[in-house]
Amino acid sequence: METTGVHVFDYLKYISETTDQKTILRNLMETYGNDVWNYAFSICRNRDTADDITQDTFLKVYRNLTTFRGDAAVKTWLLTITRNTAYDYLRKAFWRKVTLVGFIQSGGTSQSAENEAVEQLYASDIWKKVLTLSPKYREILILHAHYHLTTKEMAAVLGISEGTVKSRLHHARLKALSLKERETLEHEPS
């Protein structure tokens, strides 16, 4: 949608006048559904919770579709809603209890085919390192490297200044490099 050169707001306004909102939502889900789910998973690191967050995100989008002002790209808008929804989930005590129970129950069993498939998505060494970083560094690297957002777009998604984005990105890269170097040193023969 955004690569056509047509201003996104004008496009959504035109579509909403000529098409029902369910069709718009379906198009958004088809276009950005994987991005929303992957971002939710990168924040909560739980498949089921990522599913719930994705569903809630698109429900919020559906309810607020007519309020989109076009101040940001549609992808930025969706990722911002995803982030806010994910952090709402993380703040709930219920989420912590469910995650802990799921962790304890799955401790001694082998992984399901679904879990193995999810892990294969993150098979790359560097992404494994990124997922071990603290949320503020993990998020900034994912938005930059995976979603290719600009500094301005990352600032909008995270609700921080562009200078803070640059600083976090710099520190996140250093931390990821440090983890990689540490692993290399640990695997060298003595």
Side-chain angles (χ1 to χ4, degrees):
M1 279 192 277
E2 295 155 89
T3 58
T4 62
V6 177
H7 191 272
V8 177
F9 178 69
D10 293 335
Y11 173 77
L12 283 177
K13 184 177 178 185
Y14 168 77
I15 291 295
S16 66
E17 291 171 355
T18 59
T19 312
D20 68 307
Q21 288 186 341
K22 290 179 184 177
T23 302
I24 297 169
L25 180 65
R26 187 175 332 106
N27 289 338
L28 289 173
M29 289 172 70
E30 289 170 0
T31 305
Y32 299 107
N34 287 335
D35 290 334
V36 168
W37 188 91
N38 288 331
Y39 189 42
F41 181 79
S42 74
I43 293 171
C44 69
R45 301 178 69 183
N46 179 293
R47 272 189 93 257
D48 296 329
T49 305
D51 290 343
D52 292 342
I53 291 168
T54 301
Q55 183 177 8
D56 284 354
T57 296
F58 281 110
L59 283 172
K60 289 177 182 179
V61 166
Y62 181 74
R63 288 183 197 126
N64 297 300
L65 194 57
T66 58
T67 64
F68 179 72
R69 295 183 313 263
D71 294 341
V74 172
K75 187 176 194 175
T76 304
W77 182 58
L78 288 170
L79 292 177
T80 301
I81 294 170
T82 305
R83 180 179 191 272
N84 292 339
T85 303
Y87 280 106
D88 286 347
Y89 266 78
L90 292 176
R91 281 190 280 273
K92 293 181 182 176
F94 175 76
W95 184 88
R96 284 184 226 114
K97 290 177 187 174
V98 169
T99 303
L100 183 59
V101 168
F103 176 77
I104 291 170
Q105 289 176 344
S106 66
T109 61
S110 63
Q111 289 186 326
S112 69
E114 290 177 2
N115 286 342
E116 287 178 21
V118 169
E119 283 191 12
Q120 286 176 359
L121 292 173
Y122 293 97
S124 164
D125 275 351
I126 194 64
W127 286 113
K128 285 181 181 178
K129 303 287 180 283
V130 167
L131 290 175
T132 65
L133 295 173
S134 67
K136 74 178 186 179
Y137 295 128
R138 180 175 63 228
E139 238 181 340
I140 202 84
L141 285 173
I142 289 170
L143 290 174
H144 177 72
H146 183 71
Y147 294 107
H148 307 289
L149 296 184
T150 65
T151 302
K152 184 176 182 176
E153 290 171 329
M154 287 187 284
V157 168
L158 299 173
I160 57 178
S161 72
E162 290 182 46
T164 304
V165 167
K166 291 175 186 177
S167 174
R168 277 192 193 171
L169 188 56
H170 173 74
H171 290 291
R173 287 176 176 153
L174 290 176
K175 287 188 180 293
L177 183 60
S178 171
L179 288 172
K180 181 69 175 160
E181 288 173 353
R182 187 178 324 147
E183 181 188 58
T184 303
L185 289 174
E186 290 173 357
H187 286 56
E188 285 183 359
S190 299

